Amino acid sequence: MDLSTSPLFERLMGAEHILIAGAGGGFDVFSGLPLYFRLRELGKKVSLANLSFTRLEMVEGRTLAPGLMEVDGHTQGPAHYFPEGLLARWFQLQGEQVPVYCFARVGVVPLRAAYEALREKLGFDTVVLVDGGTDILMRGDEVGLGTPEEDISSLAAVESLPLRDKLVVCLGFGVDFHHGVCHAHFLESVAALSKQGGYLGVTALLEPMREVALYKDAVAYVCERMPRAPSIVSLSVVTAIEGEYGNVHRTVRTEGSTLWINPLMSMYWAFDLTVLARRCLYLETLRDTQAMWEVSERIESFRNAQKSIRPWKDIPV
C-alpha cells in the first residue's frame, strides 16, 4: 500500500460480485451509489440492496424469501414513501433494468436468513454495508448512539455470513448531530479502528466525478417524487459536494434545526466490517433477536445497565 492506492478499492478489486447494502434503512442505499457506479466502470458485478422502511406489505414486488423482496422500475408501492422503487425507476429512465433488493425491518435472525437467501440467489462474495451518517461506529457507551437499531442489526447479520470480504462505508460526517451523535466519539472510534487495522481511509466525492453526477441526479429524482419525506442525509451530502458550508437547508424537514454542512460530509469513510463489529459492546446480545422491537428493547436494557456513559465532547479545533 502507498499514497497512489486506495485501501478500500484494493480490498474490492479481488471481488467477483459485490452487494452494496444500505445498513440503516431509508435512503442508506443511495449513499452507496457513487461506489456502485465506479465499481461498474471498473468491470465489477455489483448489486443493490437496502434495509427498507417502506411498508413492504403494500409493495407489489417479487418475494424471494421471508423478509426479502425484489423491486424494479415497474413495481408499484406506497405513493408517499418508496425510495427503492423510485431508484429502480430512475435506473429505468437511464435505459437500465437494475433491481433493488429490500430487506424487511426485522431482528438479526430473520435478517441474516434473508441475506443468506439473497447470497444463494445472486452469488455475491463481498458485502459493503453503507451507512448514511456515521452512527454505525458508536460502540454503545457514548452519550448518543443515533439510530442504532437497524445499523447494528445489519452489522450483526452480515458479520456472521461466510463471505470473501465484508466492509462498511459511511457517508455524511456531521449529519448525525441531528440525532445526538457526538462526532468526537466518532473520531475516537476511527482512531481505535486504525490501531486494530480496521480503518481503510477516506475517499472524497467531488463535483466533476461522473459517478457523483449520477448520484446527485438519482437523489434529486427520488426526493422530488417524495416531497413529504425527502432524504435529509442525501440532500445534505449533495449540498456539501456542491461546496456549500454551514447552516444550509435543502428541505423543510430540517427547519428549526442548525445544520453543519461541511467538506467532511462528502467523504467516504471505509472500515473492515469484522473489526468494527468486534468493537460493538452490545452486538452479541442481539444475535438471537427475531423482531426489531426486540432489538430496541435489548439496546435499551444494555444502556440502562451501563454505569458509565461517556459524556459529550466538543472537537477541540
Side-chain angles (χ1 to χ4, degrees), residues 168-272:
V168 169
V169 169
C170 300
L171 180 65
F173 179 93
V175 166
D176 291 314
F177 177 78
H178 183 73
H179 289 126
V181 170
C182 170
H183 285 78
H185 289 157
F186 166 76
L187 294 175
E188 282 186 33
S189 292
V190 174
L193 288 162
S194 184
K195 280 186 178 180
Q196 297 161 13
Y199 175 44
L200 305 178
V202 295
T203 303
L205 302 183
L206 304 175
E207 186 87 27
M209 295 177 176
R210 180 175 180 274
E211 52 266 41
V212 169
L214 291 169
Y215 160 66
K216 288 176 57 181
D217 193 62
V219 168
Y221 175 85
V222 176
C223 287
E224 285 169 6
R225 283 153 184 80
M226 287 176 45
R228 289 161 53 188
S231 171
I232 293 172
V233 172
S234 295
L235 290 176
S236 296
V237 170
V238 167
T239 305
I241 288 170
E242 293 174 346
E244 299 293 342
Y245 182 82
N247 191 29
V248 182
H249 297 254
R250 295 283 288 269
T251 168
V252 295
R253 292 186 66 197
T254 59
E255 286 184 359
S257 63
T258 302
L259 302 182
W260 182 45
I261 305 298
N262 68 88
L264 297 177
M265 194 172 276
S266 56
M267 291 183 177
Y268 275 142
W269 301 69
F271 308 93
D272 181 289

Side-chain angles (χ1 to χ4, degrees), residues 97-138:
Q97 296 300 323
V98 176
V100 180
Y101 299 95
C102 299
F103 296 114
R105 191 171 173 268
V106 293
V108 173
V109 172
L111 183 57
R112 186 196 185 283
Y115 264 100
E116 187 61 49
L118 187 58
R119 187 178 71 90
E120 290 177 8
K121 173 180 170 56
L122 299 180
F124 56 81
D125 61 351
T126 298
V127 170
V128 179
L129 273 186
V130 183
D131 181 24
T134 57
D135 56 347
I136 197 170
L137 261 70
M138 300 297 102

Side-chain angles (χ1 to χ4, degrees), residues 287-300:
R287 293 280 191 196
D288 62 346
T289 54
Q290 295 286 337
M292 192 54 71
W293 67 264
E294 289 182 273
V295 174
S296 298
E297 193 175 74
R298 301 274 180 96
I299 295 174
E300 184 178 359

Side-chain angles (χ1 to χ4, degrees), residues 53-97:
F53 285 169
T54 303
R55 293 182 61 184
L56 295 180
E57 68 273 14
M58 297 177 63
V59 175
E60 299 174 7
R62 186 158 69 105
T63 299
L64 304 178
L68 176 63
M69 181 177 287
E70 178 184 353
V71 305
D72 60 29
H74 300 288
T75 304
Q76 296 300 310
H80 69 286
Y81 192 88
F82 191 21
E84 298 91 355
L86 288 170
L87 176 57
R89 203 165 302 161
W90 177 85
F91 274 109
Q92 191 175 63
L93 291 172
Q94 316 310 307
E96 296 188 71
Q97 296 300 323

Side-chain angles (χ1 to χ4, degrees), residues 14-19 119 123-127 163-166:
E16 294 185 3
H17 186 171
I18 301 158
L19 178 70
R119 187 178 71 90
F124 56 81
D125 61 351
T126 298
V127 170
L163 295 169
R164 171 197 164 273
D165 207 355
K166 310 162 199 176

Side-chain angles (χ1 to χ4, degrees), residues 177 182 184 311-317:
F177 177 78
C182 170
W312 184 277
K313 289 184 180 179
D314 291 325
I315 298 173
V317 291

